Amino acid sequence: MDSLDDWFPYREYRPHQREMLEAAASIARDGGIAMIDAPTGSGKSSVVSALLAESRGRKVLVAVRTISQLATFMRELELIRKKRGDLKFAYLIGKSSMCPLGGEGDIYRRCEGVKSFSTALMRERAQKGSLVPANDRQIKQQIRKMDPEHPLICPYFIHGKSFVEPEDGGLKMIPSAALRVRAERVSTEVIWPDQLAGFCGDICPYDTMMHAARDADVVLVNFYHLFDDAIREQLYQSLGIEGHDAMLLIDEAHNCGDVVQSIESVTIEERDIVQAGHELSGRRRSPQADAIVQILPQITRFMEALKGSYETEDFFEPPVFQKMILSGTLYRSVEEIVDDLLKISEGIREKNMQAGEFRESAIERLTEFFYRIFRSAADPAYLTVYRKEEDGAVALEVRNIDPSTKLQDIARAHACCVLISGTLSPIESYRRYYFGDLPVTAMSLPNSFPPENRRIFCANDITTAYSMRRDRENLARTEDYITTFARLPGNLAVYFPSYDLLNTFAERCAPRIRKKQIYIESKDTTASATMLREFMALPGTGRSGILFAVCGGKWSEGLDYRGEMLSGALVIGLPLAPFNRVRKMVIDYFRMKFGEEGEFISYTLPAVNRALQALGRVLRTPEDRGMLILGEKRFLERRVHAGLPPWMQEEMTACTVDAFKKEAEKWRF
């Protein structure tokens, strides 16, 4: 029987690493759930070696959120493969990143449609003796004539298929020799995601990866592959496995809740109602369509009534919504509406697919919304919410506020489930939030990086609490912290709870910042990406800059600022979500569930995590040196302070702005 040492790819273990891996191996061997809070540098990606040591023929599925995290595990697995030459691993990323076929509409719907049409065409030609579709003259001719903006067949899919004639008769479609060769190489060599399309050539990259994944020991997937029921079921069917055949390793596990809530929520806008009317206009002879047409103006009137509200986000009562929608219609209940919508949406979907239209229809979206409305009546984990957009339009949302049911179902359906993160603190709060009363092995590791390479401060004389946001002395001290911090050497980052505060202090502080190029995070993704690349390249040119960014934004999570790319981070404020009636209802729900701790779990914990994620961008290797500052006195309050990792609580020094100026001067030299 293999031991952990047989799979561990390094010469020696880091401090506390073996303890972490043995705990993971025990869960893999005996089943169950483990949660591991391990700071950067703990070697938590090596947990995959612990699962492999106890795999006993089961697949290891590693769920990651970003391409950079996927790359981390690919590097780890390649090291393991150098020790264990027979290891195979593959990855699956979204089709939007991999599909070489052009065209409009939802990429998943388009893929389903063109594959269906392509399969029918290939089978028709195979019945006439053409068993290699890629060589068939008529298929080639259709591909040449095809409008690339509105494809009906997929040449990449076709090149990956061939037919054989089994002894019992008929035809069987199988992967082509070209696809099999590429898939074998993908699972035994390192082909990075940005190289995959070029490597696959005229073969579908997604089919290549899926074929490689069937025989792989480890499959790297994204969160949606795991947490979306429909995607997971389709994936497991393609892999030929069930949940109990797989062991789960979930990286960046502090994000699980947000992702599940996003998947389990649904929103409709006014334009969806208008589009639904257009889609139904050609189906008036259907009794169900005639009945649904009657409720569309009712939904619009409900939205119009909400435009008079002063709130940008608030709760709406499902009974009031249902009464208004049902009034004057043929329906007696929302359940009847859901039944009719399901029948109509299936028909529209099938018709659109046949016509080569692959976008999600408004009727399908409306169906999901009413289904969620129907569920919310009996499930307090769903809230009915409206939002007023910047242009005054109203959106209705059925929002999931509690991811625990889904997370528990997924964890129990698999052979084991190990969740890891560098900011899963306090781990007991995350355990209760995700898994309630289920037995969970929880472990929190200390920081293994040299403590002399870092200083951690918390300001006890500034706050972004709403009551103090216009206090002149508080504002002046906050500005002093930022400008003093800006004089530290190297690239720096200042993080704020909101874009409003970011812009306020960027404007106030910019004239006082010298010798550093200033970068202000934009809401525009493309512009932000360009600025970030420029910022990270500054040390190589002998220059330095300072980021003004938002906690939880594009520049605060999932980025690896190694070496001189970032030498310090200052978080201004406690990045709590805006407090309104919806937030109060969420807090009340969790108070009912967890008692006094419910408010911390649902409101304060996410804010603490956003701050920790921002600070965590700085110290990425044992050699990195940096200063971390929490510019908010609420981090010194007992409950908030207890939410910080134990190592940070021990090392953090409370300071005033005058004391910070002296410490910053020392750090510069």
Side-chain angles (χ1 to χ4, degrees), residues 226-392:
L226 178 61
F227 295 131
D228 186 296
D229 288 346
I231 296 175
R232 185 179 66 256
E233 288 169 10
Q234 185 175 5
L235 170 63
Y236 285 14
Q237 184 177 1
S238 297
L239 295 179
I241 63 171
E242 296 183 8
H244 58 77
D245 300 317
M247 301 186 290
L248 294 184
L249 175 58
I250 303 174
D251 192 25
E252 295 294 304
H254 62 277
N255 287 306
C256 291
D258 288 345
V259 173
V260 169
Q261 287 172 277
S262 173
I263 292 170
E264 293 289 295
S265 302
V266 63
T267 301
I268 58 167
E269 302 174 353
E270 293 176 76
R271 62 187 176 188
D272 294 320
I273 308 305
V274 174
Q275 182 59 32
H278 293 324
E279 291 171 2
L280 290 171
S281 62
R283 300 177 60 89
R284 287 297 181 91
R285 294 182 181 181
S286 160
Q288 291 91 356
D290 288 340
I292 292 297
V293 165
Q294 292 182 40
I295 72 170
L296 298 183
Q298 313 284 66
I299 302 172
T300 301
R301 279 195 288 273
F302 185 81
M303 289 178 162
E304 288 290 335
L306 294 174
K307 290 182 179 179
S309 169
Y310 293 106
E311 302 293 336
T312 56
E313 179 183 83
D314 205 351
F315 172 79
F316 69 85
E317 295 279 359
V320 174
F321 174 79
Q322 293 177 26
K323 183 177 180 181
M324 187 167 185
I325 300 307
L326 296 173
S327 177
T329 71
L330 300 175
Y331 293 108
R332 292 169 296 178
S333 69
V334 170
E335 187 174 6
E336 292 179 357
I337 295 177
V338 172
D339 288 342
D340 278 358
L341 280 170
L342 283 169
K343 295 173 186 174
I344 295 169
S345 64
E346 283 298 316
I348 288 178
R349 176 185 169 89
E350 185 177 343
K351 181 180 177 182
N352 286 349
M353 295 289 279
Q354 291 173 351
E357 172 57 59
F358 307 123
R359 289 187 178 90
E360 179 190 43
S361 68
I363 285 294
E364 288 174 281
R365 195 164 189 81
L366 195 63
T367 302
E368 182 66 16
F369 177 78
F370 270 93
Y371 173 69
R372 298 285 185 183
I373 283 275
F374 174 65
R375 280 190 61 181
S376 71
D379 190 343
Y382 290 86
L383 289 184
T384 45
V385 176
Y386 71 86
R387 297 193 314 274
K388 290 175 67 176
E389 310 294 352
E390 291 183 2
D391 61 359

Side-chain angles (χ1 to χ4, degrees), residues 49-69:
S49 62
L51 301 190
L52 283 167
E54 298 289 345
S55 62
R56 299 192 297 277
R58 297 171 294 184
K59 274 193 192 301
V60 177
L61 298 182
V62 183
V64 298
R65 199 172 61 92
T66 66
I67 291 294
S68 64
Q69 291 155 8

Side-chain angles (χ1 to χ4, degrees), residues 183-225:
E184 177 66 19
R185 287 187 60 191
V186 160
S187 66
T188 56
E189 302 175 18
V190 175
I191 310 293
W192 298 101
D194 60 354
Q195 301 171 341
L196 184 64
F199 172 79
C200 290
D202 55 8
I203 304 290
C204 171
Y206 197 84
D207 279 355
T208 303
M209 288 309 307
M210 186 63 74
H211 193 77
R214 290 192 183 103
D215 295 325
D217 305 293
V218 182
V219 183
L220 305 172
V221 300
N222 65 40
F223 274 18
Y224 282 82
H225 282 120

